[in-house]
Structures are given as structure tokens and as C-alpha cells.
Amino acid sequence: MQADARPDGAAAAGSVGPVVVLVGPPGSGKSTIAKLLAAKLGKQHRDTDTDVENTAGKPISDIFVDAGEPAFRALERAAIVAALATNDVVLSLGGGAIMDPDTRADLAGHNVVYLDVSVGEASKRVGLGVARPLLLGNVRTQLKNLMDARRPLYTEVAKHTVITDGRTPQEIAAEIVEHLG
């Protein structure tokens, strides 16, 4: 393989970007799976939610309270642009990142994997005491609403979909590694 070739075999002369980008709703396992993938592939893991928190110097929930969702989304967009220009990382995006049409357009040239999860499984994973501003109130109902609105967008940007229900993070990571070839 050429030094600048992508693991998915796509022509990559002069191209930059992550090895794989994980998208999906809260509770799908994006961060957990990305860390496992990075270790398996010998790459770094990068998470845009972490990048936003580092830039703002505070948790996402505080950004929502102090500055509102538009301010968070602006920070998120900047983090995504920077992360998509980074070579040789396994990237996990925040659950709502795909709501931005520019982000969806930017993802078109990347190997995007959608981690799909049922509402019931996602509810168990995120729990009831979540520090996720868009899941305040009835977590299960909020998750269902988010997932219904976002599922078509996750599907639009994904080159591969992995069902995560009833599977270990190791099984999911192994499927993605196989997909990457």
C-alpha cells in the first residue's frame, strides 16, 4: 500500500483525513468503539465532542446553558472541519453533527460508519442521569425523537452501517476492521 493510500483502498494521492469516521445517536457506542478501533489499527482516536470541550474549557452541557445550542454547534462545526483534515485518526462525531448540511457534504469523501442502535438499547446505555442537554426530561422519548429525525441523515452519510444491539464493543470493532479491509 502506498504511504498515502487509504485503508479502504480508495485512491488517496495527496488526500487527508481520518481512517474512519463513526456517526450515530447517543448511546450507539461511538467513543467506545472509536477507542477500540484506534488501538486495533495503531492510530490515534479523536472525538469532536472532546475537542469542543477542550476549546471551550467546559463541558458541553455548560456550553448549552451558558451560550445556547447555536454557540455549541458553531464550536462543533469548527472541530469537525479541523478533525476531517487530520490524517490517520479514528474519528467519532457527536450525535447531532450530521444535522449540519455542510458537515454532511464534508463527510461525502470519507469512510463513514453509522453505528445503529435501538431506542431501548440506547436508553439503557445513556442512563437516566445523563449530562446530555438534548436528552433532558424523558430520556427514552427524547432519544426516540432524535433518532427518528436523524436516522435518514446517518444513513445518507454512511458507507457502512453496523447494528450495535446485543453486541460487545469488541465484536463491533472487529466488524468495522473487516469492512475497512
Side-chain angles (χ1 to χ4, degrees):
M1 187 186 305
Q2 297 169 309
D4 60 350
R6 293 176 49 125
D8 61 1
S15 72
V16 297
V19 173
V20 63
V21 180
L22 301 183
V23 299
S28 61
K30 296 178 301 288
S31 297
T32 300
I33 304 305
K35 288 174 191 169
L36 280 172
L37 279 173
K40 283 180 173 286
L41 298 170
K43 308 294 180 190
Q44 294 293 312
H45 166 236
R46 185 164 181 177
D47 183 286
T48 56
D49 280 351
T50 301
D51 290 351
V52 167
E53 290 180 337
N54 290 339
T55 298
K58 56 183 149 185
I60 290 171
S61 57
D62 289 353
I63 299 169
F64 268 76
V65 170
D66 297 344
E69 185 175 359
F72 165 74
R73 295 296 174 196
L75 290 168
E76 179 180 56
R77 178 71 184 133
I80 291 167
V81 168
L84 288 175
T86 305
N87 274 333
D88 263 359
V89 297
V90 174
L91 178 61
S92 50
L93 300 186
I98 48 79
M99 299 298 288
D100 184 290
D102 292 330
T103 294
R104 291 195 308 275
D106 289 348
L107 289 171
H110 296 278
N111 194 6
V112 179
V113 175
Y114 165 32
L115 299 180
D116 196 1
V117 63
S118 68
V119 172
E121 186 71 19
S123 297
K124 285 188 244 176
R125 292 177 186 174
V126 299
L128 297 176
V130 296
R132 299 173 193 245
L134 294 180
L135 296 181
L136 294 176
N138 182 326
V139 172
R140 191 176 176 92
T141 298
Q142 295 298 338
L143 270 171
K144 182 183 181 325
N145 293 339
L146 285 176
M147 291 166 77
D148 287 348
R150 296 174 180 176
R151 182 167 275 117
L153 302 176
Y154 294 133
T155 302
E156 174 188 324
V157 300
K159 288 189 165 69
H160 186 67
T161 298
V162 177
I163 305 296
T164 65
D165 285 24
R167 300 177 70 195
T168 67
Q170 293 77 11
E171 291 169 335
I172 297 162
E175 179 179 331
I176 296 169
V177 168
E178 185 177 315
H179 163 71
L180 294 173

